[in-house]
Amino acid sequence: MTQPAKRRLGEILVERGFVSPDQLREALRIQYQEGKRLGEILIEMGALTADELNWALSELLGIPYVEFRDEMVD
């Protein structure tokens, strides 16, 4: 039985329309130079929100993402 190909975070971010391919390339260049995490770089660039990163990471890891709001919790 073969396992599905592992997807990369950047692929998911572009597929979902959270970042453009150009933004991803720039962030990957910075990541190569500075060694920071991709999501952290994209947030610092203003290309991505923390919420969008969390959605993409949940998809990558196969874990449902739940966003809690004050009005939802009793």
Side-chain angles (χ1 to χ4, degrees):
M1 182 186 231
T2 61
Q3 292 185 349
K6 185 170 182 173
R7 297 175 67 200
R8 294 178 176 252
L9 178 60
E11 293 171 3
I12 293 171
L13 292 170
V14 172
E15 285 175 10
R16 296 290 174 248
F18 293 147
V19 299
S20 71
D22 288 340
Q23 290 170 319
L24 177 59
R25 277 192 290 278
E26 176 64 14
L28 289 171
R29 184 189 63 75
I30 294 169
Q31 182 184 41
Y32 178 76
Q33 291 176 338
E34 299 180 13
K36 291 182 180 178
R37 292 176 183 246
L38 182 62
E40 178 183 355
I41 294 166
L42 287 163
I43 290 172
E44 288 174 0
M45 289 172 55
L48 188 68
T49 67
D51 194 46
E52 291 168 335
L53 175 60
N54 289 333
W55 276 104
L57 287 171
S58 73
E59 184 174 329
L60 179 68
L61 299 171
I63 300 170
Y65 176 66
V66 178
E67 179 184 358
F68 289 103
R69 294 185 214 109
D70 289 336
E71 62 270 10
M72 292 174 57
V73 181
D74 189 11

